[in-house]
Amino acid sequence: MGYRIVVAGATGNVGREVLAILAEREFPIAELAAVASSRSQGDEIEIGDTGKTVKCQNIENFEWTGWDMAIFAIGSDATAIHAPKAAAAGCVVIDNSSLYRMDPDVPLIVPEVNPDAIDGYVKRNIIANPNCSTAQMVVALKPLHDAAKIKRVVVATYQSVSGAGKSGMDELWNQTRQIFVGDEKDVQKFTKQIAFNVIPHIDKFLDDGSTKEEWKMVAETKKILDPKIKVTATCVRVPVFVGHSEAINIEMENELSAEDAQRILREAPGVMLVDKREDGGYITPVECVGDYATFVSRVRDDSTVDNGLNLWCVSDNLRKGAALNAVQIAELLGRRHLKKG
């Protein structure tokens, strides 16, 4: 037995990663469909490193009836059109866009953190995947929250250009080349030069001066982990192709030493602790690419507050921040509800 599964947006960065991870994790598939816009109809898409391909179909006339689940990676506008159709046809939608994340009738899931919340999918037949930066952060925070109850989180992100899609990666590549050869720099995707620079601005500005990306981290962390946690974020785009990093400061209700936090994180699901207090004894973005784990390093006490900790968190944003988490949701959905695997 296996599942009839659809990957929507299969030609994009996240969609291709979903296909690769489905193959890597040997997800039980009875039938696989890849769908995207009409521009990609008929394209042959590789399924990871299996040597197999799947032909892309036009999402506009795709028939959703009879499919078990669909992983969407097509952006909010297209999702608003096609996800309700799939859900109404009985196909459970796992959505990577921001469209449904804060919908009270749609569970927002990180399987290592709040697996029980997936039971609420029956209200809309839709499950939301969180923002890439939120996903890796809550994986690191969950075991510490269970141990000492987190009161407040201050996070600064260092987010790779792949979070802005292929166009973001292309812009970093092109600007880097232009700088080296002396050409005029082409700025299109980002608000300022991204090559050899950092930009403290991701998504649009809100009335209070924060950005929507920062708001997402606050609101989603509360929904996934605990509505009582206070969160403040500063989100920054950096000239890294893949891999998001976060400097996280935590204030807890109860005492938890850095040594105890290291011990807890070492055993936590989804976390890989790499924390040697020596040159190179930590993880950087280029080292996490292609890996499933959320890496934690630089765990240390913060003496400026009672029960404070600092840590460094790194993860492949195309994987745990998007494609991997979506596939893990599909696995969880199968185990708890659909039971065809």
Side-chain angles (χ1 to χ4, degrees):
M1 292 180 67
Y3 300 95
R4 300 186 74 220
I5 187 165
V6 183
V7 178
T11 56
N13 286 344
V14 174
R16 290 179 184 274
E17 200 71 24
V18 168
L19 291 171
I21 292 171
L22 287 170
E24 289 172 17
R25 294 174 72 90
E26 298 181 344
F27 187 87
I29 296 175
E31 186 176 357
L32 174 67
V35 301
S37 69
S38 58
R39 296 189 304 273
S40 301
Q41 185 173 358
D43 290 356
E44 293 284 344
I45 307 169
E46 294 182 358
I47 305 174
D49 296 325
T50 63
K52 299 177 182 178
T53 62
V54 61
K55 186 171 288 188
C56 194
Q57 302 180 51
N58 186 350
I59 194 171
E60 297 295 337
N61 50 32
F62 187 77
E63 175 51 62
W64 298 100
T65 303
W67 294 89
D68 296 305
M69 58 180 87
I71 297 176
F72 271 53
I74 57 175
S76 295
D77 290 344
T79 296
I81 297 170
H82 300 290
K85 295 178 182 177
C91 177
V92 182
V93 172
I94 301 168
D95 178 33
N96 272 286
S97 81
S98 62
L99 183 64
Y100 293 107
R101 289 175 187 162
M102 300 314 298
D103 187 321
D105 291 331
V106 174
L108 181 64
I109 301 296
V110 177
E112 298 95 332
V113 179
N114 62 337
D116 293 347
I118 200 171
D119 299 346
Y121 87 93
V122 294
K123 293 180 180 178
R124 298 283 299 275
N125 233 24
I126 298 171
I127 303 166
N129 206 22
N131 183 47
C132 47
S133 298
T134 305
Q136 71 184 67
M137 185 171 76
V138 296
V139 168
L141 293 182
K142 168 65 173 175
L144 303 178
H145 185 54
D146 288 346
K149 198 167 185 182
I150 295 172
K151 293 169 54 179
R152 182 172 185 257
V153 176
V154 180
V155 57
T157 71
Y158 307 79
Q159 296 179 225
S160 66
V161 294
S162 58
K166 183 179 181 298
S167 60
M169 299 177 76
D170 289 345
E171 185 149 318
L172 174 57
W173 175 264
N174 291 333
Q175 284 182 8
T176 302
R177 181 193 59 78
Q178 289 159 357
I179 289 169
F180 274 117
V181 301
D183 287 350
E184 183 178 349
K185 295 181 291 294
D186 186 20
V187 176
Q188 293 185 1
K189 178 67 177 179
F190 301 112
T191 55
K192 296 198 176 190
Q193 173 188 321
I194 184 60
F196 305 98
N197 197 18
V198 297
I199 305 173
H201 174 196
I202 301 176
D203 213 323
K204 62 184 179 182
F205 276 99
L206 305 178
D207 291 341
D208 66 354
S210 64
T211 65
K212 191 174 180 182
E213 185 80 359
E214 292 157 356
W215 174 85
K216 289 175 191 174
M217 292 196 72
V218 173
E220 292 174 20
T221 299
K222 287 175 175 288
K223 183 174 179 179
I224 296 167
L225 193 56
D226 188 336
K228 295 180 181 178
I229 295 176
K230 296 179 180 180
V231 184
T232 183
T234 300
C235 294
V236 182
R237 189 74 72 190
V238 297
V240 171
F241 281 108
V242 178
H244 286 359
S245 305
E246 298 169 348
I248 306 173
N249 177 262
I250 307 164
E251 183 181 355
M252 295 163 292
E253 287 193 8
N254 303 308
E255 184 178 357
L256 184 70
S257 69
E259 290 73 19
D260 286 339
Q262 288 172 319
R263 175 181 52 79
I264 290 167
L265 289 165
R266 192 173 288 114
E267 303 299 324
V271 174
M272 180 69 71
L273 181 72
V274 180
D275 196 11
K276 300 175 183 178
R277 294 177 178 181
E278 60 187 41
D279 291 352
Y282 43 81
I283 294 295
T284 60
V286 294
E287 298 164 281
C288 77
V289 175
D291 207 298
Y292 288 158
T294 294
F295 292 90
V296 175
S297 306
R298 303 287 326 279
V299 180
R300 60 206 187 277
D301 294 311
D302 175 7
S303 61
T304 67
V305 295
D306 292 336
N307 307 322
L309 283 177
N310 288 302
L311 57 85
W312 174 251
C313 178
V314 179
S315 189
D316 182 331
N317 56 292
L318 296 180
R319 291 207 152 207
K320 186 55 189 171
L324 171 62
N325 200 71
V327 173
Q328 288 177 306
I329 291 172
E331 293 169 342
L332 178 63
L333 178 67
R335 289 194 304 270
R336 289 179 71 106
H337 293 284
L338 304 187
K339 298 181 180 180
K340 290 187 177 181

